[in-house]
Amino acid sequence: MKILLSILMMLATAMFIFNLFQIDWQSPISGKSSVAVIGVMASACAFILLLILVISKRINKRLKK
């Protein structure tokens, strides 16, 4: 499970960086840039959720000791 979470976090980071470069900063809400902005927000949310999962697993592990 630890390896899977690490892989998913790396994929979320890679998607974040890829979509960040796809944004047209002159007009970020029009055309394909809007899809890239949505992708950036979605990958950031996915990364944060995975980070919360990792932290909660660490807390659970410490409470069981």
Side-chain angles (χ1 to χ4, degrees):
M1 183 78 168
K2 189 174 183 180
I3 295 172
L4 177 65
L5 288 174
S6 298
I7 291 171
L8 289 174
M9 289 178 82
M10 282 188 266
L11 284 173
T13 305
M15 286 177 51
F16 181 83
I17 292 170
F18 175 76
N19 284 321
L20 202 61
F21 284 112
Q22 299 300 315
I23 296 174
D24 179 22
W25 294 103
Q26 300 299 323
S27 58
I29 305 299
S30 65
K32 290 186 178 181
S33 290
S34 63
V35 176
V37 169
I38 293 169
V40 165
M41 290 189 292
S43 60
C45 289
F47 184 82
I48 290 170
L49 287 172
L50 288 167
L51 190 62
I52 290 170
L53 181 63
V54 168
I55 291 171
S56 68
K57 285 194 173 285
R58 285 184 188 169
I59 291 171
N60 192 18
K61 184 178 170 184
R62 286 186 184 173
L63 287 176
K64 284 187 177 180
K65 281 187 176 180

